[in-house]
Amino acid sequence: DNDFFGVTGSDIALETLLAQLPIGDREQHLLVFDAKGQLLAHPDLDKTTLEQYGREGKKLLTEDFVNPDLQKLVSETIRLKLPESANSFVQDGETHIINIRKVENLNWYIGIYKKRSSALSALEELKVKFFGLFILYAILVALLLHQALYQLVLRRIHSLVNAVVSFGKGQLQTEFPKANKDEIGTLNGSFRDMAIEIRKLIDGLNQRISEKEIAEKAANRLSKAVAFSGTGVVITNQDFEIKYVNPKMVEMTGFEERHFIGSPLLNIISQEMAILVDDIDIDLRSRNYWRGDTLLQGNERQSVWVSLSISPIREDGGEITSYVASAQDISFVKESQRKMEQLAYFDTLTGLANRTFFRMQLRKSMALAERGHYAFALFYFDLDEFKRINDTLGHDAGDQLLVEVANRLKKRLRTEDTIARLGGDEFAVLLSGIEHQTHAMEVANTIQRTLNEPIKLGNNEVIISASIGITMAPFDSQEEDQLLKHADLAMYEAKAKGRNTFHFYSQELNAAANERLFIENELRTGIREGQFRVYYQPQVDCRNNQVVGYEALIRWFHPKEGMIPPTKFIPIAEATGLIVELGAWILQEACEFAARLASQDLKNNISINLSARQFKDANLVSTLDKIIKQTGVEPKRLHLELTESMLMGHVEAAILQLHQLKALGVSISIDDFGTGYSSLSYLKRFPVDILKVDRSFVKDIPQDSNDMEITAAIIAMAQKLKLNVVAEGVETIEQIEFLQNNNCYIVQGYYYSKPIPEDELPALYEQLNSLNS
């Protein structure tokens, strides 16, 4: 709105301003002065000079720094107040050109000067450049004229001459210059047309020559290929008369070439394949070709398996003029197939059928049985105590035994029967045409008699036996897998009956197998859900009817099946390995029970059975040590019961394990003594504290005098070895009296109590007290 508010600005130091100006360099110099002749900037004006003039209070005047000639121009410029002027002056003997401009607002004068020679040198250079360019343009014009003349006339003539000379030298692919409408172009066109015609004639001749050479080479190659081929080749006429055979055919058959020439083609086929000759002849006459595998007739040598192919040779019109037969030797392939089949379907050790071939034959037999009027028996067996022979005599002796068993089976059974080794010492036999068990029993007895004959293995003679399971088809089952399962169940039943026998499948075996599977599945659930309880059977001193200890016995109360006997689930737990987990739980429960009895000042010896799998468990000692420390039970109160058979498997390992257990302070008891090996030489090496007389010797006392003598002998032996004795299965007063008379006082059995839960112990103590009273 045209209102005045004030003035603003900033100061710039003169030194800062002048520092931005080119005061002096190699080519030109700068001079700044004001209207009063005071010097503001000059090449000779440095900081030292300024400080000197400042100290002396002197003014910087131009006349102190420039020569008189330049001072004259400066004075004239100031005097005339020229806004712009250009002139020259002499300095150091050389003329300089200066241009002075006035800065009106500052009332300053700025002059730029440089040597005259330096300023004019650029002009001289420009003149030289213009002269040089003129010369270059002249040369360029001359070259353009020469090039135009060469392109339009000389090059075309030279190209035509070179093309004619090259063509004359036989270079037929020479390219002639393109034809133009002038005389030179017409001449080029004429020469090019002539060259094309000559080239066509020569190309035609060369092509005919090349085709002839190629045909001759191809025929020569084909002839050599047939002659040197690794395939036997026979060429006939249209009537199948042999006209040519190559060396390979001669080599394969052993006949000379003249044997083939003129003879019928089909004579090359072996007489063993005579049934095939008529079919080949029919195919050749109806379809003009044949292909397949056959045998070639050999000359005093074995016939050769070949892949034979017979094909017609037709002329251009389609007429058949001859036939060619090629025979590729496939003897190696056939032999490889035979070996592969041998490996795939037969056992390499015994030569018997293997599992794969056996299953194939079983499927075929099942298919025939389904159609009716066909029955067969399936035998499934293994060799009793084969592992013992393998371990004692070595695997080579075991292999020799298997070979001998296979040979005996092949000699005694019919050729139409399938004998297979399924693996290890397991064998199976398919007996065709067996409809009745009596016939199968006869064969089973034959097999057992055959195997029972002594077998010489090196310097040793062994006698083996087999446990045979028998199932009848299609009566027992019409399914392959079920039939194998039935035979397997029957074999295990034969083993359970004492081995060296046979057993037929029955529905009861199947029910037992299903029950076993049910128990095996339910065991895991039972352990997880706590379905097991520990019952305790008291061990009583029969002299005063006082309880001295207990045996811990496991009981399984299934939520649906009720109580499952230990005789059913313990073997399955042992086989599956679950006995280790179950046994650790029993140890824990029994030790806690003993600790509770100790807190009540009651006798608290506790006997716990160890299974074979549990005894061999590497963690048994550490687990037991942990339980003893956790429950606080006295180790000497803990009696671990083991059977003789558990200790006799690997004696040295068993002794080591027993000593490790004894180091914990526990007692070792031999359970069921007298029913196993009863080797006294080993018994004295075992760190045993207690012998338990098996119930099988006690139950028939006093009726069986033999049992009485055995029991008395066991008690006497234990006393001589300074071992404690416990009698199991005591049920009558007569048995009590007999044991007392033989100095066996610790008894266990139904006479005093059956196994009971812990909460029934008070009633037991009352009962025993009543006996004392």
Side-chain angles (χ1 to χ4, degrees):
D1 297 328
N2 296 324
D3 293 337
F4 175 75
F5 290 96
V7 178
T8 183
S10 62
D11 295 333
I12 301 176
L14 180 62
E15 180 181 359
T16 302
L17 176 62
L18 297 178
Q20 307 303 316
L21 303 177
I23 302 300
D25 55 27
R26 187 169 58 84
E27 294 293 332
Q28 65 183 17
H29 304 282
L30 182 68
L31 173 67
V32 181
F33 55 91
D34 60 11
K36 297 179 179 180
Q38 294 189 79
L39 187 62
L40 299 177
H42 188 268
D44 296 335
L45 191 60
D46 55 15
K47 185 176 182 181
T48 304
T49 305
L50 292 174
E51 290 177 351
Q52 179 184 351
Y53 272 74
R55 286 193 300 269
E56 297 175 359
K58 294 171 56 177
K59 294 182 177 181
L60 293 170
L61 300 178
T62 58
E63 58 191 21
D64 294 336
F65 293 90
V66 303
N67 65 353
D69 197 7
L70 179 55
Q71 179 61 36
K72 182 179 178 181
L73 290 176
V74 170
S75 300
E76 186 176 350
T77 299
I78 294 173
R79 181 173 59 80
L80 297 176
K81 299 181 179 179
L82 296 174
E84 181 176 354
S85 64
N87 215 322
S88 61
F89 65 94
V90 178
Q91 180 176 304
D92 298 330
E94 189 171 352
T95 304
H96 289 67
I97 301 173
I98 185 170
N99 191 337
I100 301 174
R101 288 179 177 270
K102 183 180 182 181
V103 182
E104 292 293 342
N105 292 336
L106 298 177
N107 204 17
W108 286 2
Y109 292 89
I110 300 175
I112 299 175
Y113 62 92
K114 66 189 301 184
K115 294 178 182 178
R116 182 184 183 87
S117 60
S118 175
L120 296 179
S121 63
L123 183 59
E124 293 297 329
E125 291 176 1
L126 185 60
K127 290 170 63 178
V128 172
K129 290 179 181 179
F130 272 113
F131 181 74
L133 287 173
F134 177 76
I135 299 298
L136 288 173
Y137 288 152
I139 294 173
L140 181 60
V141 170
L143 290 174
L144 289 174
L145 289 175
H146 175 271
Q147 186 68 16
L149 182 61
Y150 175 77
Q151 291 290 337
L152 294 174
V153 180
L154 295 178
R155 187 181 66 82
R156 296 169 65 196
I157 294 175
H158 287 160
S159 298
L160 179 59
V161 171
N162 291 333
V164 173
V165 171
S166 298
F167 194 82
K169 292 180 179 180
Q171 298 177 5
L172 302 181
Q173 300 301 324
T174 301
E175 291 292 335
F176 283 87
K178 294 181 180 179
N180 291 330
K181 295 182 180 180
D182 56 7
E183 290 78 1
I184 296 176
T186 302
L187 183 61
N188 279 338
S190 299
F191 272 104
R192 186 175 66 254
D193 295 341
M194 179 182 67
I196 291 172
E197 293 299 324
I198 294 173
R199 192 182 299 148
K200 287 181 180 179
L201 292 174
I202 295 175
D203 287 345
L205 291 174
N206 288 338
Q207 183 176 358
R208 289 184 178 85
I209 294 171
S210 298
E211 289 174 352
K212 182 178 180 181
E213 291 177 349
I214 292 171
E216 290 177 352
K217 290 181 180 179
N220 189 34
R221 271 198 311 271
L222 182 59
S223 175
K224 290 182 178 180
V226 173
F228 296 106
S229 172
T231 301
V233 177
V234 176
I235 299 177
T236 74
N237 60 14
Q238 66 271 24
D239 297 324
F240 302 104
E241 293 181 358
I242 298 175
K243 298 300 180 183
Y244 169 83
V245 290
N246 72 339
K248 182 63 178 179
M249 179 62 74
V250 173
E251 176 190 340
M252 285 195 300
T253 60
F255 291 110
E256 295 183 359
E257 183 178 357
R258 63 174 179 270
H259 169 79
F260 295 98
I261 303 302
S263 63
L265 171 63
L266 297 184
N267 280 3
I268 66 175
I269 297 176
S270 173
Q271 295 177 359
E272 300 175 50
M273 309 295 289
I275 191 172
L276 189 65
V277 172
D278 292 338
D279 293 337
I280 297 175
D281 184 62
I282 293 173
D283 283 349
L284 288 176
R285 298 187 184 282
S286 61
R287 298 187 294 174
N288 301 121
Y289 74 91
W290 185 85
R291 183 174 183 178
D293 295 345
T294 186
L295 285 168
L296 286 186
Q297 182 65 44
N299 179 23
E300 298 181 356
R301 64 172 64 178
Q302 189 175 4
S303 300
V304 182
W305 271 106
V306 295
S307 176
L308 182 64
S309 174
I310 305 174
S311 304
I313 300 175
R314 300 178 185 272
E315 296 297 329
D316 294 339
E319 180 184 0
I320 297 176
T321 58
S322 56
Y323 288 86
V324 59
S326 60
Q328 179 68 44
D329 188 348
I330 59 171
S331 301
F332 175 76
V333 175
K334 289 292 185 180
E335 180 63 16
S336 298
Q337 288 177 348
R338 186 191 67 78
K339 290 181 178 179
M340 289 176 64
E341 289 178 358
Q342 186 72 20
L343 291 173
Y345 298 123
F346 293 90
D347 178 49
T348 55
L349 177 64
T350 62
L352 299 177
N354 62 10
R355 185 181 293 272
T356 303
F357 187 80
F358 177 77
R359 293 295 291 261
M360 291 172 54
Q361 294 300 106
L362 179 59
R363 279 193 286 272
K364 291 179 182 178
S365 298
M366 295 295 295
L368 291 173
E370 287 179 3
R371 298 171 188 171
H373 308 294
Y374 182 81
F376 65 93
L378 170 59
F379 283 29
Y380 195 97
F381 61 93
D382 63 11
L383 306 181
D384 300 329
E385 300 297 334
F386 176 75
K387 184 178 184 302
R388 179 175 57 83
I389 295 175
N390 236 0
D391 293 341
T392 55
L393 301 182
H395 290 280
D396 290 339
D399 290 345
Q400 184 182 346
L401 174 63
L402 292 174
V403 172
E404 178 62 23
V405 169
N407 292 336
R408 291 185 180 187
L409 291 173
K410 285 187 284 189
K411 288 179 182 178
R412 295 308 301 259
L413 297 178
R414 301 171 300 178
T415 55
E416 62 265 28
D417 297 329
T418 301
I419 311 170
R421 179 190 175 209
L422 304 183
D425 64 327
E426 293 183 356
F427 295 85
V429 178
L430 279 178
L431 297 172
S432 58
I434 304 295
E435 296 183 358
H436 304 289
Q437 287 190 358
T438 53
H439 193 182
M441 290 171 60
E442 294 174 2
V443 177
N445 287 322
T446 300
I447 291 176
Q448 287 183 329
R449 287 193 302 269
T450 301
L451 297 181
N452 289 156
E453 296 177 5
I455 297 176
K456 191 75 173 177
L457 299 178
N459 297 325
N460 300 285
E461 188 175 78
V462 299
I463 297 177
I464 62 168
S465 61
S467 300
I468 305 174
I470 308 172
T471 183
M472 307 293 292
F475 312 110
D476 290 339
S477 177
Q478 294 185 352
E479 295 182 9
E480 174 187 345
D481 292 334
Q482 284 291 330
L483 207 61
L484 286 171
K485 176 185 174 184
H486 293 169
D488 190 45
L489 290 173
M491 182 190 71
Y492 278 101
E493 185 64 19
K495 284 184 176 295
K497 288 168 61 178
R499 309 189 180 204
N500 193 24
T501 184
F502 58 85
H503 192 84
F504 285 91
Y505 167 78
S506 63
Q507 288 295 332
E508 290 76 13
L509 292 180
N510 201 40
N514 291 333
E515 182 183 47
R516 176 184 173 87
L517 181 61
F518 170 78
I519 291 176
E520 183 177 336
N521 292 333
E522 291 296 308
L523 260 177
R524 295 176 174 83
T525 304
I527 294 173
R528 186 173 61 251
E529 296 181 356
Q531 297 174 5
F532 293 90
R533 292 184 64 185
V534 178
Y535 274 39
Y536 303 95
Q537 186 171 32
Q539 295 173 345
V540 180
D541 187 338
C542 61
R543 292 171 296 185
N544 54 19
N545 295 328
Q546 294 294 318
V547 176
V548 295
Y550 297 88
E551 180 178 0
L553 300 168
I554 190 169
R555 295 292 182 264
W556 182 8
F557 294 93
H558 192 274
K560 293 182 179 179
E561 301 296 325
M563 192 180 81
I564 299 177
T567 53
K568 287 189 176 182
F569 71 82
I570 291 294
I572 298 174
E574 180 81 15
T576 58
L578 293 172
I579 194 67
V580 175
E581 182 180 355
L582 199 57
W585 177 79
I586 296 173
L587 283 171
Q588 180 76 32
E589 290 289 318
C591 288
E592 290 178 357
F593 168 72
R596 288 192 293 271
L597 291 179
S599 66
Q600 301 171 28
D601 294 327
L602 298 174
K603 298 290 186 179
N604 61 339
N605 291 337
I606 186 72
S607 298
I608 304 171
N609 292 284
L610 292 183
S611 71
R613 181 74 69 92
Q614 190 179 8
F615 178 67
K616 296 174 184 177
D617 183 30
N619 298 320
L620 173 62
V621 176
S622 59
T623 301
L624 184 57
D625 183 48
K626 180 180 177 182
I627 292 174
I628 291 174
K629 292 177 180 178
Q630 180 183 348
T631 58
V633 68
E634 290 184 75
K636 67 179 182 180
R637 299 296 182 186
L638 194 59
H639 300 171
L640 300 181
E641 295 190 3
L642 303 99
T643 62
E644 293 174 274
S645 57
M646 289 167 51
L647 301 176
M648 298 304 296
H650 299 281
V651 175
E652 299 304 326
I655 292 174
L656 177 62
Q657 182 82 322
L658 287 174
H659 281 291
Q660 291 176 346
L661 291 171
K662 286 290 291 182
L664 299 178
V666 302
S667 299
I668 303 297
S669 174
I670 299 296
D671 193 15
D672 301 337
F673 185 80
T675 61
Y677 293 91
S678 301
S679 174
L680 300 182
S681 62
Y682 285 118
L683 181 61
K684 68 180 182 179
R685 297 180 59 193
F686 296 144
V688 177
D689 303 290
I690 304 168
L691 283 185
K692 295 190 74 174
V693 181
D694 187 66
R695 68 184 67 247
S696 62
F697 300 126
V698 176
K699 69 177 182 177
D700 291 328
I701 295 174
Q703 290 81 11
D704 192 325
S705 60
N706 289 329
D707 284 349
M708 295 171 67
E709 294 297 331
I710 293 173
T711 303
I714 293 174
I715 296 170
M717 179 193 66
Q719 291 172 347
K720 291 295 184 182
L721 294 175
K722 295 182 173 52
L723 301 177
N724 295 321
V725 183
V726 177
E728 292 184 301
V730 177
E731 298 182 356
T732 66
I733 187 62
E734 291 81 7
Q735 295 168 353
I736 293 288
E737 292 173 351
F738 172 82
L739 294 171
Q740 286 178 342
N741 293 334
N742 286 274
N743 300 320
C744 176
Y745 304 109
I746 308 303
V747 298
Q748 174 183 339
Y750 277 30
Y751 178 79
Y752 286 107
S753 174
K754 63 180 181 180
I756 59 175
E758 184 179 355
D759 55 11
E760 294 183 14
L761 291 183
L764 171 66
Y765 292 133
E766 290 181 5
Q767 175 188 342
L768 294 176
N769 289 333
S770 65
L771 290 176
N772 289 330
S773 61

